[in-house]
Amino acid sequence: MTDTARDTGLVAAIAEATAATTPRIWGFGVDGTLTALLRAGDALHRPDLTQRVVDLVTPSLTAPPDPTDHLIAVEAMLALAARRPGIDVADVCRRWLAAVRHARPRHPGGPRLHRPDLPPWQSTIWVDCMHTDGPGLAALGHPDEAVAYATAYAAALQLPNGLFQHGYDTAARQGNGVAWGRGQAWALLGLTDTLTRAYDGGLAERLTRLVDALAAHERDGQWSTVVDDLDAPVEASVAAYLAWTVPHAIDAGLVDPAHRAMADRAWTATLRRLTPGGTLAVSEATPVGAAPDYHDRALGAFPWGQAPVLHAALDRIAPAAPTGDGPDEEESR
């Protein structure tokens, strides 16, 4: 078997495992899942993978406004429209833009609250939103707003050591102080995707500090579910996201090229944990909490774990194709 055939077989197995998951429409991490399936459909000449995306999102395309509209996968919708011009995503993108723009900060200049209607999280912001707001605004052609949204969130969530805390209570003006592993991935992905379309020196500096901090806490291509807690178990999704996102940040000139070796180690570690069926066991949806609450989350094959594995595998058999230029919510993904 040739290396190309072996790599293609790996991508196919991961794609099928990803397609078998049931992403919440709309929920955290869904954008990466949908764009990965679209890319896999192109690379493998598998229209069924593209159709899987169509089937998942069609019920929402003309749905009435909903409190979860701020989680609509804008980049995936643009990518889908580029592949299926007959599918109209204008309304769903307008709903997302309205939800994001209508969100209001609790304090002037602070981060905007997406779910003030949802006790007990009505004053909480999540690091998860780093990978939705900035990238979506930039993809829809609003670079200044993208930078402003990303900056407000990062200012509240980034810790002095460069890592990001999971949640921040805007009423108490206090974060939970926990450098949740997958939360670092959401911040990394969000900063990179925002900066590639809407460059800002302050955000770029925040991205550099985050990647340097992650490098300082690497454990042979792996990271703990609480990154700076050596007693916490390994969280496999972190390595998968770094294997996918860090090379893109390097290629965009945003991150020191020396970190490519870290991304390669992360990919090697991900492959070691991948099952023959193409699944990666990662932690379940995780609410904001105290540090010990992150140690014992159940593991399984979830959309937010499969997405980075599939993207990273696709990147390693072919250059990334354009994605289109463009928790229940009490539980982060």
Side-chain angles (χ1 to χ4, degrees), residues 240-266:
Y241 276 102
L242 265 68
W244 168 31
T245 309
V246 168
H248 288 279
I250 292 170
D251 292 343
L254 299 170
V255 169
D256 188 336
H259 287 307
R260 196 177 297 274
M262 175 176 68
D264 290 341
R265 290 190 296 272

Side-chain angles (χ1 to χ4, degrees), residues 135-290:
L137 285 163
L140 290 176
H142 306 287
D144 292 343
E145 287 180 81
V147 168
Y149 273 64
T151 299
Y153 262 69
L157 292 166
Q158 192 165 30
L159 298 166
N161 63 6
L163 299 173
F164 278 70
Q165 56 190 335
H166 186 177
Y168 181 85
D169 186 330
T170 60
R173 299 200 184 197
Q174 182 176 351
N176 76 326
V178 179
W180 176 43
R182 194 156 54 247
Q184 311 317 302
W186 297 141
L188 172 66
L189 185 60
L191 288 170
T192 300
D193 283 355
T194 300
L195 285 164
T196 53
R197 291 190 176 102
Y199 183 80
D200 174 78
L203 287 179
E205 188 271 338
R206 288 185 180 280
L207 176 61
T208 295
R209 289 175 55 214
L210 171 60
V211 176
D212 287 346
L214 286 166
H217 292 287
E218 179 191 349
R219 298 164 59 180
D220 190 23
Q222 301 181 101
W223 286 263
S224 300
T225 192
V226 177
V227 169
D228 51 0
D229 180 357
L230 290 177
D231 293 327
V234 166
E235 170 50 48
S237 65
V238 186
Y241 276 102
L242 265 68
W244 168 31
T245 309
V246 168
H248 288 279
I250 292 170
D251 292 343
L254 299 170
V255 169
D256 188 336
H259 287 307
R260 196 177 297 274
M262 175 176 68
D264 290 341
R265 290 190 296 272
W267 180 237
T268 298
T270 299
L271 289 177
R272 286 199 303 265
R273 288 177 169 267
L274 200 65
T275 70
T279 63
L280 183 71
V282 303
S283 59
E284 64 183 342
T286 305
V288 174

